[in-house]
Amino acid sequence: MRARLSTTFRSLTVRNYRLFAGGQLVKLIGVWMMYVAQDWLVLELSNDSPTALGLVTALQFVPVMLLTLYAGTLADRFDKRTLLMVSNGAWAVLAIAQAVLIATGVIQLWHIMVFAGLLGVAQAIETPVRQAFVSELVGKPLLPNALSLSAATFQTARITGPALAGVAIAWLGTGPVFLVSTVMAVAPVLMQARMRPAELHRPELLPRDERAEAKVADGLRYVRTRHDLLLPMVMMLVIAMFGYNFQLTLALLAKTVFATGAATFGLFNTALAVGSLAGALAGTARKGRPSVYLLLAAAVAFGLLAIAVGVAPTKWLVLLLLVPTGFSTVFLAQAANQRVQLGVDGAFRGRVMALYVLIFLGTAPIGSMVISWIAETFGAAAGIWLGGAVSLVAALGALVWQLRHAGDRLSFQARPTPRVRVVHAESVAAA
């Protein structure tokens, strides 16, 4: 047991990564608290308008769609630690300004919309830089473990933040919750300032003159020529757009299909989050780049589980299925992230990870609009199982693409245990 724990958390033996993970955990708990309080405040200021809430949410994601690729070029040109300190510092200043307006009682709905857009700009710059910076903290041997622990940190904050926010809003009101979350937002800046730059694992960058000319188009061309990067990105583009919409669909499922209240919705989210945390921790034992077939198997499993959640006839069966669904959701996302991160050249890491972030987060507004229309037209359950079906088709399509590209084939083995295995091209040629 002790050996297992030491394997799970081995990246924490690196001082710089401990500081990074600690700062991120504190900040993310505060961010989730702020998001919950913000949604509640928007409903209060807009007389419970879903349109206003949707607009504020969209304003947080629009900068991700517009600026993420450019942020990737910044990550390849400049020091990532400095960029993170600047972007996290900007986030903290904006959050403090918004909290002051709320605490003084002068906040208006348009203020929240402006802050949502500005905070989205800070997030659009910070996210791809942070993704690329993890490799500098621990080096390539520990990178799979560090990425999995970063996902576990996010899921821990996702579980803890909303729970704390709900209790704090009930006891103290929205104003104090915003003040607490702004104090927590300063943590990454302080932690990153304490890091030792000499202990960072700097990648081999382009020469200074070429670095200044690093362009988004170069990163896109680089990915286009790399089948091993292109396949997970194209597949995750479809799955993230149509399958990863549980924040929207579970609320509708609880309220419109099972005619229950916020308590059931909370249980659904808790079950999904518990499975997600387990999925993040499951990847911590990985020591190398995940195989493409592990990635594809995880994608197929996610599609099947999402379909099962959508067609489940009772809320208790949905609750039971959401745990493995949450596991597959994060396990798949982490496998895709690690396959990209561990396969990219250091000089292109910022731009490639920016493209991955754009695929993973920037498609959220488009997917949510499509799935919401499906849910409104055909029912909330259809929004879930149809998203799962599209994800399954994308996974199977990617599997066919990979088999043809590599010359591999699938073989079904009935004995002693029924299973499907991959026969690689080398084995086929030898036979």
Side-chain angles (χ1 to χ4, degrees):
M1 182 66 178
R2 183 176 297 176
R4 172 63 180 169
L5 288 175
S6 64
T7 300
T8 300
F9 300 102
R10 61 185 182 275
S11 291
L12 294 178
T13 60
V14 180
R15 180 180 182 276
N16 282 343
Y17 184 78
R18 285 199 305 273
L19 293 171
F20 171 81
Q24 283 299 120
L25 179 61
V26 174
K27 177 193 173 181
L28 287 172
I29 291 175
V31 167
W32 280 103
M33 292 178 66
M34 188 185 75
Y35 282 161
V36 171
Q38 175 183 276
D39 291 348
W40 192 264
L41 183 60
V42 168
L43 292 176
E44 287 182 347
L45 295 175
S46 64
N47 296 318
D48 297 333
S49 170
T51 301
L53 187 58
L55 183 56
V56 170
T57 303
L59 286 170
Q60 293 170 345
F61 283 102
V62 167
V64 176
M65 298 177 66
L66 299 178
L67 300 175
T68 295
L69 290 180
Y70 176 71
T73 66
L74 295 179
D76 286 334
R77 291 181 186 177
F78 303 107
D79 180 75
K80 298 179 183 64
R81 174 171 164 266
T82 302
L83 287 173
L84 283 176
M85 292 178 65
V86 171
S87 57
N88 280 311
W91 173 285
V93 170
L94 290 168
I96 291 170
Q98 181 177 235
V100 170
L101 291 178
I102 295 169
T104 56
V106 299
I107 192 74
Q108 297 182 31
L109 184 60
W110 71 268
H111 291 150
I112 297 178
M113 292 182 179
V114 171
F115 278 110
L118 293 175
L119 289 168
V121 172
Q123 181 187 10
I125 296 174
E126 187 264 354
T127 303
V129 177
R130 170 170 44 83
Q131 291 271 352
F133 185 56
V134 175
S135 64
E136 294 189 7
L137 292 167
V138 297
K140 200 167 185 178
L142 287 178
L143 184 55
N145 178 259
L147 292 173
S148 296
L149 283 181
S150 295
T153 299
F154 177 84
Q155 297 303 330
T156 301
R158 180 186 173 193
I159 296 171
T160 308
L164 292 176
V167 174
I169 291 173
W171 287 358
L172 306 174
T174 55
V177 174
F178 273 94
L179 290 173
V180 171
S181 67
T182 56
V183 173
M184 299 173 78
V186 181
V189 182
L190 299 178
M191 294 298 189
Q192 287 152 16
R194 294 182 57 201
M195 289 180 183
R196 297 170 182 164
E199 296 179 6
L200 293 174
H201 300 258
R202 301 290 190 184
E204 296 180 2
L205 296 176
L206 297 169
R208 184 175 296 274
D209 55 341
E210 295 182 33
R211 208 185 314 165
E213 297 298 324
K215 295 181 175 62
V216 171
D218 296 331
L220 297 177
R221 281 192 292 268
Y222 175 79
V223 172
R224 189 178 61 188
T225 61
R226 292 282 305 273
H227 170 79
D228 61 324
L229 302 180
L230 188 61
L231 183 143
M233 285 194 171
V234 172
M235 184 182 72
M236 291 307 297
L237 171 66
V238 178
I239 293 177
M241 187 180 298
F242 296 102
Y244 283 16
N245 288 287
F246 290 111
Q247 186 175 358
L248 168 67
T249 53
L250 289 183
L252 295 172
L253 190 70
K255 190 170 186 179
T256 62
V257 175
F258 298 117
T260 56
T264 299
F265 175 48
L267 285 175
F268 285 171
N269 274 291
T270 300
L272 189 72
V274 168
S276 299
L277 179 58
L281 291 174
T284 57
R286 192 173 294 134
K287 296 182 179 179
R289 192 183 188 198
S291 73
V292 64
Y293 292 109
L294 176 66
L295 172 67
L296 294 171
V300 170
F302 168 77
L304 292 173
L305 286 167
I307 293 172
V309 170
V311 300
T314 67
K315 67 178 182 181
W316 300 113
L317 183 56
V318 170
L319 192 65
L320 183 66
L321 287 169
L322 281 173
V323 176
T325 303
F327 181 97
S328 66
T329 300
V330 173
F331 189 87
L332 168 61
Q334 275 302 104
N337 188 314
Q338 291 171 359
R339 183 146 183 88
V340 173
Q341 280 256 39
L342 292 169
V344 67
D345 294 332
F348 289 91
R349 180 169 279 114
R351 281 165 287 179
V352 172
M353 293 314 300
L355 180 59
Y356 183 81
V357 170
L358 178 62
I359 287 171
F360 205 76
L361 297 179
T363 57
I366 300 172
S368 62
M369 287 189 294
V370 173
I371 294 298
S372 63
W373 177 83
I374 292 173
E376 186 174 350
T377 307
F378 303 104
I384 297 177
W385 70 255
L386 191 57
V390 172
S391 300
L392 180 60
V393 170
L396 294 175
L399 176 60
V400 172
W401 183 15
Q402 172 62 25
L403 290 172
R404 289 185 175 180
H405 179 269
D408 301 335
R409 64 181 178 85
L410 297 180
S411 173
F412 177 74
Q413 179 178 306
R415 296 178 181 179
T417 303
R419 65 189 180 95
V420 176
R421 67 187 185 91
V422 178
V423 179
H424 295 283
E426 297 83 358
S427 301
V428 175

